[in-house]
Amino acid sequence: MTTVSDPAAAGGWLAEARPALRAAVRIGPGLQKGTAVVHLIGDRDTQAFLRVGPREAFLMSQLDGRRTLADISAEYAGRFGKRLGEAHWQQLLGLLHSHALIDPAAPEQLDAVREKTAVARRAAGRSPLLWRRPLPGAAELVVPLARRIGWLLHPLAAVPLTLLGTAVAVFVLLEWSTLWSAVTESPSRWTAGLVGFTVGWLVIAGHEFFHGIACVRYGGRPTEIGVMWRFPMIAPYCKVDDVVTFPRPGQRVVTSFAGVYVNLIALIPFAAFWWWGPQTGWWHGLAGALLLFGVVSAVANLIPVLKLDGYHMLEHATSTSNLQGESFRFAGAFLRRGPAGIAGYPRRARVIYSAYAVLATAILGPALVLLVRSWYSSLADLWSPAVAVAVLVAEAVAVCGLLRWAVVWKRRATEAA
């Protein structure tokens, strides 16, 4: 980094220039990513994002159109112990101009950034295991919806409804066998299950819209709403990229929780249907199916290793970026080199990554053992133990090959983009 004793001597323009970021630009909070802290800069006009370090984020936060670059250099020197030179300012301002972040920006430049961002987003949303199809106009519906039903996210409404929905979920877990019997003993259990699944899928659509409504509540906008293929299921999705620029962790956590909140609210009328509706027959079976599917959906979304709402809530609560990947990278470094492999991590990062690695192992380990054991028992009963082992080995090889192919495919697609 170039340093000088007097920034005005390095170039008189430093004492005159008062650049400002465009009003749509938001500087996100510091997020731990591996050994470093990063800030995500979001442009709500173009939906583009830029990742920078703490020093660049500090400088950008000072570009308000009132202070000169020389004034900002003095503040920077007081905070970081170095005074910026002309070359560094030219480099930073050139970067910001190239992303159309400095006011004013030419309309054609903003259009170019939008197009480039859209192309990159389409490439990132496609792989053999992941595929997204945005629905035209769906994201635009969120703003008027937020004005009409956004009050449901106010604490006076959200807290009691969340508690009531949680109480229903606990009831369902305690009465699981009774509810399951109502479904299986229904005169037409397949139609009850199918209708229950369809209603549950519509609840998931509401779940995704509420992510967008929460995002609007805190000043952001959803970028996409559509249908997603994530192996092995198809479901609605909502991208709320602006969440990474919200200043308070609570705002980010609530935005991620808003979907599960809808799942919990939906359980309330389902429970009323179960308790006060027909106590036998097809309708009783449908009520049981709705409650079972609703609780499974809510609980699955909260499992912090599936990269669903619970994972993102944990990520936002700890102010981290790529928590899962960085935790596994941290664990791998420790296993390969011991304490020396993680010496470069700050104490806070070591605590967070260690805790997540232990949590993920505690969840995935027993789940994998249970899955393999159950599948082995089924195959052994159907054929023989030797055939069961051979099938399990073949499946493991196939899954590993598929995952490796998906990783290579995604890397090549990213490089091509």
Side-chain angles (χ1 to χ4, degrees), residues 61 92 116 143 151 180 201 230 241 249 252-253 255 258 267 271 273 370 387 400 408 416:
S61 70
L92 177 62
K116 183 178 180 181
V143 175
W151 59 270
W180 182 251
W201 204 88
R230 174 180 282 178
D241 298 333
R252 305 194 295 272
V253 171
T255 303
L267 290 176
F273 186 25
L370 182 63
V387 173
C400 290
V408 173

Side-chain angles (χ1 to χ4, degrees), residues 304-381:
V305 297
L306 296 182
K307 285 199 172 183
L308 298 174
D309 296 342
Y311 168 77
H312 293 299
M313 289 169 62
L314 187 59
E315 198 173 44
H316 294 317
T318 56
S319 291
T320 54
S321 176
N322 190 25
L323 174 60
Q324 188 175 92
E326 295 297 339
S327 295
F328 291 162
R329 187 174 292 110
F330 171 88
F334 179 78
L335 292 174
R336 288 192 303 270
R337 299 179 54 201
I342 59 174
Y345 287 84
R347 183 177 182 277
R348 178 177 179 275
R350 291 199 297 269
V351 171
I352 292 173
Y353 294 151
S354 297
Y356 185 83
V358 171
L359 176 64
T361 302
I363 294 173
L364 294 176
L368 182 60
V369 170
L370 182 63
L371 176 64
V372 172
R373 180 178 178 181
S374 175
W375 189 227
Y376 169 81
S377 299
S378 299
L379 293 175
D381 290 341

Side-chain angles (χ1 to χ4, degrees), residues 20-26 42-45 100-103:
L21 296 180
R22 291 181 22 256
V25 177
R26 297 291 185 273
D43 183 346
R44 293 181 182 176
D45 282 346
L101 299 177
I102 295 293
D103 190 34

Side-chain angles (χ1 to χ4, degrees), residues 140-152 213 216-217 221:
E140 286 71 23
L141 294 175
V142 173
V143 175
L145 277 175
R147 286 196 291 264
R148 296 189 178 205
I149 61 175
W151 59 270
L152 285 168
I213 290 171
V216 170
R217 177 180 176 83
R221 291 290 187 276

Side-chain angles (χ1 to χ4, degrees), residues 8-372:
W13 64 278
L14 293 179
E16 300 293 334
R18 291 179 168 83
L21 296 180
R22 291 181 22 256
V25 177
R26 297 291 185 273
I27 302 172
L31 304 176
Q32 189 72 47
K33 189 175 190 299
T35 59
V37 173
V38 300
H39 295 253
L40 293 173
I41 312 301
D43 183 346
R44 293 181 182 176
D45 282 346
T46 64
Q47 303 298 334
F49 288 83
L50 176 67
R51 180 179 295 155
V52 301
R55 298 190 178 199
E56 292 80 3
F58 171 80
L59 291 172
M60 293 177 67
S61 70
Q62 307 303 305
L63 298 178
D64 56 8
R66 297 190 303 271
R67 283 170 288 191
T68 67
L69 297 183
D71 294 335
I72 298 173
S73 293
E75 293 187 31
Y76 181 90
R79 181 160 181 169
F80 295 102
K82 288 185 177 181
R83 191 180 290 273
L84 299 181
E86 182 178 8
H88 185 274
W89 275 118
Q90 289 174 337
Q91 180 182 4
L92 177 62
L93 293 176
L95 173 68
L96 300 182
H97 275 294
S98 69
H99 288 81
L101 299 177
I102 295 293
D103 190 34
E108 56 270 19
Q109 186 182 16
L110 292 174
D111 290 339
V113 173
R114 288 190 189 96
E115 179 60 27
K116 183 178 180 181
T117 301
V119 171
R121 184 176 289 118
R122 286 194 295 269
R126 294 179 180 177
S127 76
L129 303 180
L130 177 65
W131 175 87
R132 293 189 182 98
R133 173 63 64 182
L135 297 178
E140 286 71 23
L141 294 175
V142 173
V143 175
L145 277 175
R147 286 196 291 264
R148 296 189 178 205
I149 61 175
W151 59 270
L152 285 168
L153 289 169
H154 190 283
L156 291 178
V159 171
L161 287 174
T162 298
L163 292 175
L164 184 56
T166 302
V168 173
V170 172
F171 164 79
V172 171
L173 294 174
L174 294 176
E175 298 294 329
W176 188 274
S177 59
T178 302
L179 293 161
W180 182 251
S181 296
V183 176
T184 57
E185 294 171 5
S186 172
S188 180
R189 61 182 181 181
W190 295 113
T191 58
L194 180 60
V195 172
F197 177 82
T198 302
V199 174
W201 204 88
L202 294 175
V203 170
I204 294 175
H207 166 126
E208 297 301 331
F209 267 93
F210 248 76
H211 284 307
I213 290 171
C215 184
V216 170
R217 177 180 176 83
Y218 297 119
R221 291 290 187 276
T223 53
E224 290 179 2
I225 292 179
V227 179
M228 173 180 65
W229 153 260
R230 174 180 282 178
F231 180 81
M233 60 185 295
I234 297 176
Y237 78 94
C238 176
K239 287 182 68 64
V240 286
D241 298 333
D242 283 347
V243 69
V244 296
T245 65
F246 295 166
R248 294 197 293 274
Q251 296 172 338
R252 305 194 295 272
V253 171
V254 169
T255 303
S256 293
F257 176 71
V260 176
Y261 173 54
V262 169
N263 291 110
L264 295 176
I265 291 177
L267 290 176
I268 299 172
F270 296 163
F273 186 25
W274 170 262
W275 287 322
W276 297 303
Q279 296 301 299
T280 58
W282 188 86
W283 290 103
H284 195 54
L286 174 61
L290 291 172
L291 285 170
L292 292 174
F293 184 83
V295 169
V296 168
S297 179
V299 171
N301 269 280
L302 289 173
I303 297 175
V305 297
L306 296 182
K307 285 199 172 183
L308 298 174
D309 296 342
Y311 168 77
H312 293 299
M313 289 169 62
L314 187 59
E315 198 173 44
H316 294 317
T318 56
S319 291
T320 54
S321 176
N322 190 25
L323 174 60
Q324 188 175 92
E326 295 297 339
S327 295
F328 291 162
R329 187 174 292 110
F330 171 88
F334 179 78
L335 292 174
R336 288 192 303 270
R337 299 179 54 201
I342 59 174
Y345 287 84
R347 183 177 182 277
R348 178 177 179 275
R350 291 199 297 269
V351 171
I352 292 173
Y353 294 151
S354 297
Y356 185 83
V358 171
L359 176 64
T361 302
I363 294 173
L364 294 176
L368 182 60
V369 170
L370 182 63
L371 176 64
V372 172

